[in-house]
Amino acid sequence: MISQFFVLSQRGDNIVFRDYRGEVQKGSAEIFFRKVKFWKGDEGEEAPPVFNVDGVNYIHVKVAGLLFVATTRVNISPSLILELLQRIARVIKDYLGVLNEDSLRKNFVLVYELLDEVIDFGYPQTTSTEVLKSYVFNEPIVVDAGRLPPLGPAAMFMQGTKRMPGTAVTKSVVANEPGGRKREEIFVDIIEKISVTFSSSGYILTSEIDGTIQMKSYLTGNPEIRLALNEDLTIGRGGGSIYDYASSAGGGAVILDDCNFHESVHLDSFDLDRTLTLVPPDGEFSVMNYRTTQEFKPPFRVNAFIEEAGAFKAEVTLKVRADFASSVTANTILISMPFPAYTTRVSFELEPGAVGNTTDFKESNKRLEWGLKKIVGGSEHTLRAKLTFSQEFHVNITREAGPVSMTFTIPMYNASRLQVRYLQIAKKSKTYNPYRWVRYVSQANSYVARL
Amino acid sequence: MAPPVQPHRSASPSQPSGKGEVSDLKLQLRQLAGSRAPGTDDSKRELFKKVISYMTIGIDVSSLFSEMVMCSATSDVVLKKMCYLYVGNYAKGNPDLALLTINFLQKDCRDEDPMIRGLALRSLCSLRVANLVEYLVGPLGSGLKDSNSYVRMVAAIGVVKLHHISAATCIDADFPSLLKSLMLNDPDAQVVANCLFALQEIWNLEAGSSEEASREREALLSKPIVYYLLNRIKEFSEWAQCLVLDLVSKYLPSDSNEIFDMMNLLEDRLQHANSAVVLATIKVFLHLTLSMTDVHQQVYERIKAPLLTLVSTGSPELSYAVLSHLHLLVMRAPMLFSSDFKHFYCQYGQPSYVKKLKLEMLTAVANENNTYEIVTELCEYAANVDVPIARESIRAVGKIALQQYDVNAIVDRLLQFLEMEKDYVTAETLVLVKDLLRKYPQWSHDCIAVVGNISSKNVQEPKAKAALIWMLGEYSQDMSDAPYILESIVDNWEDEVSAEVRLHLLTAVLKCFFRRPPETQKALGAALAAGLADSHQDVHDRALFYYRLLQYDVAVAERVVDPPKQAVSVFADTQSSEIKDRIFDEFNSLSVLYQKPSYMFTDKEHRGPFEFSEELGNLSLGAESEEIPAQRYDANDNDLLLSTSEKEENRVLSTNGSAYSAPDYDGSLSLAPAQSVSETTTSTQILPTYAPQGASSGIDDLLGLGLPASASSAPPPLKLNAKPALDPPTFQRKWGQLPLSLSQECSISPRGVAALTTPQALLRHMQGHSIQCIASGGQSPNFKFFFFAQKADQSASFFLVECIINTSSAKAQMKVKADDGASSEAFLSLFRSALSEFGMSQ
């Protein structure tokens, strides 16, 4: 049973505050914010999503820079509350198109309307966007999504490719388009988060892909949809260790360790032909989440060498190679590497003709940051950094620096090779032919090369 | 129109700017109140928005109450909703003004539009004003019978709201039974779910004071209801599913077929994308199979993959909540997860609360096959820039070393840490090497060689310094310059801030002295002198103690201070297994994230339904010893009230009244029930007057006269104090000290076994017999209880009982310990008779 629900801005202002049961004091938002902000003071540790202060449990999620918080006095299921908070954020986003502080402030009365229906006396009621439609009367005031920080994994599509209607994912499910008519369209995004750890010799220590098939439907009348995946898709690795690379190497089949599905998905024919049948609810949701440790080719190879160059100097060479087709381009790449604490000065040397590169040495945490706007498949990039130390370094300098970590986004690329073979929409009439967007994107989750 | 953005939050309602604007709003609202001009609603909307936004940021706008109510006469739904929100927020503080709203809310409750009816009913019930409850009963009653499911949904929750305002009104109106029939018959799943929530909450609140309520509460766990809910499980929203599954996890199936049927039915819930549904399902699976070891293990295997998927695909917050549960399972059965260790590797950029959990899991699953890889990985973290995690990682390596047989390689790694020459790494490693040597003295040679090279000047952290000094003392014969290092530390005695280090230093110097007297004599003298002059009491006392010991006899001193040591085999676990079991019982709750059972962080009135035996764990913990007795008093009060009222009923019905007549078990069972009532009443109210009554038997005991003789002919009159007090630590101490007086086994009636589905009932029952439970636990079929009772005489001696009940064999084993062993026989017979009556009245 939730006692209170509130949303705080980054500065700690209440944007909405709803007290459902009157059993937690009114100042709870302030107590919460202080606790989150000064969690364990100097160690700078991040506050966990759930904590207890004087018998009140504070449970929160961070979405789009906002804090969604619930308080309760009972020993409730934390997952239930966290899922609910996340869902509330998503429902609000469905309504407002864009979720951020500005849109929330402009539409707070609508949000109160939603909250009234989503939770009653602390008990979750309905969170379905389309059911809520009949109880919510405020028209959303749509804010310009233009330069605002986007939300959620799908937002990355706004950055790169020109083929996507950039603002489509930020459309409200209820607001009418400026032009009047609603456009019939559906988005299916295959989003993969890649984790790889390379050993110092370049050997892959661990690798994992966590994927999700996300859907956002703007189809009127909720027609049934069939989503066909790879026919040779296998789920679960029978026997053996999960990390048994030998068994899966070379074969073309996609093997998932495990997956789960949205409630609306019918799996009747999934075992037979790997198709998912569903009547998509309004708004954004994950059709399927999956996880695989099957061997795959990492999109980037990263190498780092450190050479001593005298008692107070060292030279670091960073090499990154894009191991994917030249038709694909990765963007917003950031490579970072901690240097020894006694590093005082760093000078950088890029390859001749390098464009869209930024290099920086962050003095505060002694960290190198190398940003690249884009990397075309097949290309290789190198950065040399000359380090000056304030003291003689110790036995093993590689123990004092690294590891190298990398973040990136690669549109139209998926490492697992999971495909949507086709997307079929039950036809209402012969002329009914809604837009279908199937998009792939891969992102780094934890991409680390050790020294 | 945006709400005014306040640069600073104004917590204080008297903030001047807020006040001016509020009175401004008041004027504007007044002007609009009577207006029928077109566009009025739009202007009202803007004004209402302003009011609500002030309310949100904490400005007190309660002074607008009457104006807001005046403006509420509108057909505009958005306006209505804002008005309801406002009224709900301020009605409690303005009960008189709240009366103004009753009229329009009641009218709206009869509106044609079901949504208006629902909204109005919800707001009406949310007013939280006690003197308005009379206006709630009518609309609620018709709401529950409304043709529209939305209204029924709202009404069901409305009943709980009413119960919170006035429990009596709610019960008198017979709403619970209406809810029950709605729950079992309504076609709408959300209505069913809301009725279930409402009933759970109401019966839980009532159960403390009414037998009937606790029976009703137990009835929610009956087979028909559980099956009915399970059969409709897919109709419920995912949130309602979670709460239904939570109820199901408390159901005790009668046989294994039932268990398998339920598991098969719920199998597909494990594939749900909502982690709350998956965890709720897992809880059902785990609890159902507790007594079936093989199947229980299969469940672990089955849930591994879904849990790992939720951990990797969810948002960081969700992932953490699931990981905490995975952590709990890994800690319970590490060997089942030993091949999954790579999943517990820390990832780049994970928050430290996640990394800490993962490090513990890695430590737990380490075995001979994976240790090499795990330790290699941990060593990577030890060089990490994140210092707290680096420390944890080193500790993890140490823990693995302490739990392994083949520590060879690990010792090498640890020693390599010392070569890294990072202060915190050295500090952590020294502490570990010390523990390692206490367990594996055979490694001393390798370790000492490296430790000897560490300059004590580079070690600043007290724990590490103490460890280094301990090693210098313990292995002074192997380290050539140990006496000199110690001497130099002694020389800097004044600079040593930590008393712990100074204590260690005294002992180490003395140990060193026994082994290498000539070289250490000087240091010892200096250390003792410094110690005697030390301002810290312990340091001073220890120095004095050593000094006198040495004066008395050096050989004796050596035997006392430096005897041959046995290697430590196991370092004590920080958490008792009872606590761990308790947390496991509370799977899928905050307990798992906090790693504490709920009684440690929740107030009593907020504990969930069906939770029992709050006191368990205090036996080994005693952390909340001040709080527990208070709670017990509450329970006693309730119970005694209850038992007297029940007895009155019994007398009227002239049924079996013996169930509650235990407090006056003085040999005269023929007491008229009426008398027994008065007896109990006096015993509860004026305890001290009992003393004279019991005095004679107290003296008997004291003199030890005639007891054996009378025991053979007739049991001595044994009266028990109705409100004994004994805190858990004392109980624990007594239990440890007292010899076993009696041990017996007896059977329990089938009805008693049946009633044990809720162990709370037994506790209540025994309380009725002046026997208090101090701790309980266990899972079907094995339950364990610790009881105590106190003689109602001057001796006030205690009886302690450990009672193990096996429900499948219907046997109870009792062990009695008593301050006064002579009367334990009489007490045990009283205890047995009380136990045998359990379940008869259910």
Side-chain angles (χ1 to χ4, degrees):
Chain A
M1 287 163 287
I2 294 167
S3 214
Q4 298 164 327
F5 168 87
F6 46 89
V7 182
L8 299 184
S9 74
Q10 258 160 340
R11 294 183 310 281
D13 302 328
N14 285 0
I15 300 176
V16 287
F17 185 99
R18 187 80 171 85
D19 193 335
Y20 288 106
R21 292 177 69 94
E23 47 189 23
V24 172
Q25 70 274 32
K26 293 272 181 239
S28 55
E30 233 159 305
I31 295 173
F32 164 81
F33 190 69
R34 196 158 302 160
K35 196 86 187 166
V36 164
K37 196 140 191 216
F38 303 108
W39 188 260
K40 293 209 177 137
D42 42 321
E43 283 191 52
E45 267 179 46
E46 203 182 325
V50 182
F51 55 82
N52 180 303
V53 182
D54 298 331
V56 178
N57 301 294
Y58 296 85
I59 304 173
H60 77 279
V61 299
K62 274 186 211 147
V63 185
L66 300 164
L67 293 159
F68 284 71
V69 193
T71 63
T72 175
R73 282 187 176 273
V74 297
N75 189 19
I76 205 165
S77 158
S79 301
L80 175 65
I81 305 301
L82 290 166
E83 288 272 4
L84 185 65
L85 290 174
Q86 208 94 51
R87 187 68 54 86
I88 290 173
R90 187 161 275 197
V91 169
I92 294 175
K93 191 200 163 200
D94 283 344
Y95 270 83
L96 307 186
V98 182
L99 176 58
N100 57 31
E101 188 176 339
D102 187 32
S103 69
L104 213 55
R105 280 193 191 279
K106 285 203 165 79
N107 291 286
F108 76 103
V109 177
L110 189 153
V111 175
Y112 273 125
E113 264 195 290
L114 283 172
L115 289 177
D116 248 0
E117 303 299 332
V118 170
I119 302 172
D120 193 7
F121 205 53
Y123 291 103
Q125 301 293 306
T126 181
T127 51
S128 145
T129 301
E130 71 235 56
V131 174
L132 287 168
K133 270 184 189 169
S134 44
Y135 299 112
V136 172
F137 292 86
N138 275 290
E139 283 279 330
I141 301 159
V142 182
V143 299
D144 177 24
R147 284 161 291 117
L148 295 163
L151 163 81
M156 70 185 68
F157 295 112
M158 290 162 55
Q159 306 160 356
T161 45
K162 294 174 202 90
R163 286 154 51 204
M164 306 299 167
T167 53
V169 279
T170 62
K171 216 160 63 167
S172 163
V173 291
V174 283
N176 286 319
E177 292 287 284
R181 251 189 84 240
K182 249 183 87 175
R183 187 145 96 153
E184 290 286 312
E185 56 189 344
I186 181 165
F187 295 87
V188 178
D189 299 334
I190 293 91
I191 301 161
E192 297 193 340
K193 292 185 293 174
I194 304 177
S195 297
V196 180
T197 308
F198 298 98
S199 74
S200 49
S201 50
Y203 163 80
I204 298 171
L205 289 171
T206 57
S207 64
E208 178 168 321
I209 300 169
D210 305 316
T212 182
I213 301 180
Q214 194 144 308
M215 192 175 270
K216 188 157 185 174
S217 159
Y218 295 96
L219 303 176
T220 43
N222 301 80
E224 191 183 78
I225 282 175
R226 280 165 68 85
L227 200 66
L229 306 178
N230 310 37
E231 269 172 326
D232 53 4
L233 182 72
T234 314
I235 291 164
R237 295 168 157 241
S241 157
I242 293 176
Y243 283 95
D244 186 8
Y245 290 118
S247 68
S248 57
V254 174
I255 305 170
L256 304 180
D257 289 14
D258 186 51
C259 58
N260 61 38
F261 301 96
H262 186 264
E263 182 132 69
S264 67
V265 177
H266 290 283
L267 296 168
D268 306 337
S269 58
F270 186 67
D271 283 338
L272 210 67
D273 58 3
R274 297 300 182 205
T275 56
L276 307 170
T277 318
L278 68 153
V279 176
D282 283 352
E284 192 178 300
F285 68 103
S286 296
V287 179
M288 169 182 173
N289 298 304
Y290 56 92
R291 174 173 61 84
T292 174
T293 46
Q294 182 188 21
E295 192 186 8
F296 63 94
K297 194 172 180 186
F300 291 103
R301 284 276 169 184
V302 193
N303 286 305
F305 315 97
I306 301 193
E307 275 175 312
E308 301 165 17
F312 291 90
K313 281 184 171 18
E315 193 174 299
V316 174
T317 311
L318 275 175
K319 259 201 177 79
V320 54
R321 195 179 76 223
D323 269 354
F324 45 85
S326 56
S327 57
V328 173
T329 305
N331 56 45
T332 52
I333 300 105
L334 186 71
I335 299 165
S336 69
M337 171 179 179
F339 285 155
Y342 41 80
T343 310
T344 49
R345 216 156 44 79
V346 182
S347 64
F348 296 103
E349 190 188 312
L350 283 163
E351 291 166 303
V355 283
N357 280 229
T358 55
T359 53
D360 195 7
F361 173 60
K362 298 268 181 223
E363 193 69 45
S364 55
N365 50 11
K366 306 285 179 191
R367 185 184 282 271
L368 160 135
E369 286 188 357
W370 177 22
L372 293 100
K373 266 221 182 82
K374 50 177 147 183
I375 296 183
V376 180
S379 64
E380 190 176 286
H381 303 263
T382 311
L383 173 71
R384 272 179 240 284
K386 291 199 166 74
L387 282 62
T388 313
F389 301 139
S390 61
Q391 64 180 79
E392 250 181 284
F393 55 82
H394 296 293
V395 235
N396 192 350
I397 191 167
T398 55
R399 277 254 164 241
E400 305 274 330
V404 182
S405 62
M406 187 172 178
T407 58
F408 54 79
T409 300
I410 320 176
M412 299 322 284
Y413 175 88
N414 76 327
S416 71
R417 301 195 311 276
L418 184 87
Q419 302 276 327
V420 172
R421 277 189 294 134
Y422 60 83
L423 172 67
Q424 206 175 61
I425 302 169
K427 279 211 171 149
K428 284 186 277 191
S429 67
K430 273 186 185 161
T431 53
Y432 185 68
N433 197 14
Y435 293 94
R436 291 158 232 207
W437 305 97
V438 179
R439 314 179 290 187
Y440 297 86
V441 72
S442 290
Q443 256 189 324
N445 182 33
S446 165
Y447 210 83
V448 174
R450 290 179 175 157
L451 292 181
Chain B
M1 180 65 199
V5 178
Q6 293 276 318
H8 299 290
R9 234 167 346 142
S10 48
S12 128
S14 60
Q15 202 198 12
S17 71
K19 208 173 190 178
E21 284 169 40
V22 170
S23 48
D24 205 35
L25 276 175
K26 196 173 190 146
L27 269 177
Q28 295 184 40
L29 280 169
R30 272 205 192 137
Q31 282 166 2
L32 282 179
S35 163
R36 295 201 184 278
T40 310
D41 277 354
D42 287 341
S43 333
K44 277 187 187 173
R45 272 198 192 194
E46 289 311 319
L47 281 178
F48 275 33
K49 267 192 187 179
K50 262 188 196 157
V51 174
I52 303 288
S53 83
Y54 282 174
M55 194 175 89
T56 302
I57 58 179
I59 294 177
D60 185 1
V61 283
S62 59
S63 56
L64 303 176
F65 207 103
S66 42
E67 284 77 13
M68 287 292 281
V69 175
M70 279 195 287
C71 284
S72 60
T74 172
S75 54
D76 182 57
V77 187
V78 175
L79 270 179
K80 261 189 208 296
K81 284 188 171 187
M82 287 196 268
C83 188
Y84 292 159
L85 180 67
Y86 174 90
V87 167
N89 234 355
Y90 288 111
K92 202 179 178 190
N94 305 275
D96 299 338
L97 288 172
L99 192 61
L100 296 173
T101 62
I102 291 287
N103 222 348
F104 77 78
L105 283 174
Q106 275 193 323
K107 202 179 97 235
D108 282 353
C109 282
R110 294 186 297 268
D111 199 280
E112 269 178 31
D113 185 347
M115 195 180 38
I116 301 288
R117 292 202 298 273
L119 280 174
L121 185 57
R122 183 189 295 151
S123 307
L124 193 60
C125 297
S126 303
L127 292 179
R128 296 183 207 158
V129 177
N131 55 12
L132 298 183
V133 286
E134 51 182 308
Y135 302 103
L136 294 190
V137 178
L140 260 182
S142 35
L144 287 171
K145 296 186 194 93
D146 201 287
S147 59
N148 186 284
S149 62
Y150 179 71
V151 183
R152 293 198 301 276
M153 218 170 89
V154 169
I157 295 291
V159 172
V160 197
K161 294 178 183 167
L162 171 63
H163 187 270
H164 274 254
I165 309 165
S166 167
T169 315
C170 176
I171 303 292
D172 291 347
D174 208 20
F175 282 138
S177 62
L178 269 172
L179 284 178
K180 194 170 176 182
S181 76
L182 210 51
M183 177 179 81
L184 294 174
N185 298 303
D186 204 282
D188 185 276
Q190 192 58 42
V191 176
V192 173
N194 282 1
C195 290
L196 175 65
F197 306 155
L199 284 171
Q200 275 189 315
E201 192 169 338
I202 291 172
W203 292 139
N204 195 42
L205 289 166
E206 292 282 321
S209 54
S210 141
E211 265 310 302
E212 195 209 336
S214 72
R215 259 201 310 280
E216 287 289 350
R217 185 171 74 165
E218 282 146 31
L220 289 178
L221 280 176
S222 65
K223 189 169 174 174
I225 292 187
V226 168
Y227 273 45
Y228 163 76
L229 293 171
L230 276 177
N231 283 327
R232 297 186 66 170
I233 192 84
K234 282 175 197 162
E235 297 172 36
F236 292 113
S237 76
E238 47 205 304
W239 319 112
Q241 284 184 21
C242 294
L243 294 160
V244 168
L245 288 170
D246 192 50
L247 179 87
V248 173
S249 74
K250 283 154 191 142
Y251 170 71
L252 292 176
S254 55
D255 58 37
S256 54
N257 286 337
E258 234 188 299
I259 294 177
F260 292 126
D261 285 349
M262 286 168 75
M263 284 171 52
N264 286 328
L265 181 77
L266 294 175
E267 165 70 25
D268 64 349
R269 299 292 91 190
L270 292 174
Q271 258 187 359
H272 206 287
N274 185 323
S275 63
V277 174
V278 177
L279 282 176
T281 310
I282 288 176
K283 180 173 185 175
V284 174
F285 278 34
L286 289 173
H287 281 202
L288 283 178
T289 58
L290 261 183
S291 55
M292 311 156 87
T293 323
D294 294 353
V295 189
H296 195 62
Q297 191 164 330
Q298 279 175 31
V299 170
Y300 272 71
E301 295 290 346
R302 172 68 186 90
I303 62 185
K304 227 191 252 179
L307 282 174
L308 288 168
T309 305
L310 291 172
V311 170
S312 7
T313 53
S315 72
E317 294 93 357
L318 286 167
S319 159
Y320 165 68
V322 179
L323 189 72
S324 299
H325 284 85
L326 192 59
H327 174 266
L328 175 79
L329 298 175
V330 167
M331 292 320 213
R332 272 183 89 79
M335 61 288 177
L336 293 180
F337 294 88
S338 56
S339 57
D340 305 293
F341 64 94
K342 285 194 181 181
H343 288 294
F344 311 141
Y345 284 179
C346 295
Q347 286 188 333
Y348 183 78
Q350 272 177 330
S352 44
Y353 50 80
V354 169
K355 285 183 179 165
K356 275 184 191 152
L357 284 179
K358 288 190 157 183
L359 290 176
E360 282 178 30
M361 289 155 91
L362 280 175
T363 315
V365 299
N367 63 12
E368 52 271 35
N369 299 322
N370 56 25
T371 293
Y372 179 78
E373 277 181 89
I374 290 178
V375 171
T376 308
E377 180 76 11
L378 288 172
C379 290
E380 289 288 338
Y381 307 153
N384 205 296
V385 280
D386 183 351
V387 174
I389 290 305
R391 283 176 185 272
E392 292 281 348
S393 309
I394 297 166
R395 273 175 230 153
V397 174
K399 273 190 209 145
I400 292 174
L402 289 175
Q403 71 196 21
Q404 296 286 314
Y405 300 100
D406 176 31
V407 288
N408 210 334
I410 303 181
V411 171
D412 283 348
R413 303 287 184 102
L414 280 177
L415 298 179
Q416 278 170 22
F417 285 151
L418 292 176
E419 287 162 7
M420 280 168 62
E421 297 188 28
K422 283 190 181 179
D423 290 349
Y424 61 89
V425 176
T426 310
E428 288 297 337
T429 312
L430 278 174
V431 176
L432 280 179
V433 171
K434 178 207 67 182
D435 286 341
L436 208 60
L437 288 177
R438 287 172 66 198
K439 188 169 179 183
Y440 308 106
Q442 66 269 29
W443 289 104
S444 61
H445 256 293
D446 304 69
C447 296
I448 291 315
V450 184
V451 170
N453 289 332
I454 295 170
S455 162
S456 63
K457 291 189 188 63
N458 291 344
V459 182
Q460 289 309 326
E461 288 173 40
K463 270 209 149 75
K465 204 163 184 178
L468 178 65
I469 291 171
W470 181 84
M471 285 185 274
L472 285 167
E474 192 69 25
Y475 298 98
S476 45
Q477 74 278 13
D478 304 322
M479 287 196 263
S480 55
D481 45 0
Y484 310 103
I485 300 175
L486 286 171
E487 193 175 330
S488 72
I489 304 176
V490 171
D491 287 343
N492 295 318
W493 185 280
E494 298 296 316
D495 304 332
E496 187 49 65
V497 282
S498 158
E500 185 194 1
V501 174
R502 300 202 297 274
L503 283 170
H504 271 274
L505 188 54
L506 276 175
T507 312
V509 174
L510 189 54
K511 283 198 274 191
C512 186
F513 171 74
F514 294 134
R515 289 154 200 187
R516 300 164 70 174
E519 291 161 284
T520 322
Q521 199 167 10
K522 189 170 154 245
L524 180 62
L528 287 176
L532 285 170
D534 202 287
S535 61
H536 194 275
Q537 190 67 49
D538 282 349
V539 180
H540 170 266
D541 288 359
R542 186 174 293 184
L544 194 62
F545 170 64
Y546 285 169
Y547 178 70
R548 291 192 177 145
L549 209 52
L550 287 164
Q551 257 190 333
Y552 173 72
D553 184 347
V554 177
V556 170
E558 181 166 7
R559 255 185 290 143
V560 171
V561 179
D562 196 15
K565 286 185 188 59
Q566 269 198 329
V568 179
S569 56
V570 183
F571 285 95
D573 209 336
T574 44
Q575 215 169 33
S576 78
S577 58
E578 258 171 330
I579 296 267
K580 286 180 188 162
D581 285 350
R582 196 64 203 283
I583 298 172
F584 179 74
D585 285 345
E586 294 170 3
F587 193 86
N588 193 23
S589 77
L590 296 167
S591 312
V592 179
L593 271 65
Y594 299 152
Q595 301 188 10
K596 317 177 179 163
S598 62
Y599 70 82
M600 291 189 187
F601 62 90
T602 19
D603 331 322
K604 194 182 174 213
E605 69 263 33
H606 293 296
R607 281 184 201 146
F610 309 111
E611 270 183 59
F612 65 94
S613 63
E614 286 90 348
E615 293 89 353
L616 175 90
N618 269 286
L619 269 185
S620 40
L621 220 107
E624 293 208 329
S625 49
E626 296 127 36
E627 204 184 305
I628 300 300
Q631 288 174 4
R632 209 167 37 234
Y633 274 128
D634 292 346
N636 284 352
D637 285 345
N638 288 341
D639 246 84
L640 285 162
L641 284 173
L642 177 145
S643 58
T644 44
S645 63
E646 280 272 315
K647 236 168 289 174
E648 250 152 354
E649 263 171 48
N650 287 346
R651 184 184 46 167
V652 174
L653 301 169
S654 69
T655 53
N656 180 5
S658 65
Y660 288 93
S661 59
D664 28 66
Y665 196 88
D666 52 5
S668 50
L669 273 171
S670 55
L671 263 180
Q675 245 174 306
S676 81
V677 172
S678 65
E679 280 269 0
T680 339
T681 322
T682 45
S683 77
T684 57
Q685 287 170 347
I686 30 176
L687 259 179
T689 58
Y690 244 88
Q693 280 185 345
S696 62
S697 68
I699 290 163
D700 277 346
D701 292 345
L702 217 66
L703 301 174
L705 287 176
L707 264 178
S710 64
S712 59
S713 55
L718 176 66
K719 268 185 186 292
L720 296 176
N721 182 350
K723 287 173 102 178
L726 186 65
D727 58 334
T730 320
F731 182 94
Q732 196 177 5
R733 189 167 38 79
K734 272 181 182 290
W735 187 259
Q737 287 167 350
L738 292 171
L740 185 67
S741 306
L742 276 173
S743 169
Q744 225 177 62
E745 191 175 326
C746 71
S747 307
I748 297 188
S749 68
R751 294 180 66 177
V753 170
L756 251 179
T757 46
T758 47
Q760 189 77 59
L762 176 62
L763 309 192
R764 214 176 301 117
H765 170 81
M766 296 306 275
Q767 265 175 0
H769 294 253
S770 300
I771 298 167
Q772 313 297 326
C773 179
I774 196 156
S776 66
Q779 283 291 336
S780 184
N782 284 305
F783 294 92
K784 187 173 181 176
F785 302 88
F786 283 101
F787 293 98
F788 71 94
Q790 187 180 29
K791 257 197 203 176
D793 62 20
Q794 276 171 338
S795 76
S797 58
F798 279 103
F799 300 97
L800 314 182
V801 191
E802 179 198 68
C803 178
I804 298 172
I805 299 179
N806 183 302
T807 47
S808 59
S809 63
K811 287 271 193 304
Q813 274 188 326
M814 293 152 292
K815 284 182 185 159
V816 182
K817 297 187 176 185
D819 282 335
D820 169 19
S823 48
S824 53
E825 185 90 56
F827 171 76
L828 183 64
S829 69
L830 201 153
F831 184 88
R832 279 191 56 171
S833 89
L835 190 62
S836 66
E837 284 158 18
F838 176 62
M840 294 317 217
S841 60
Q842 303 281 313

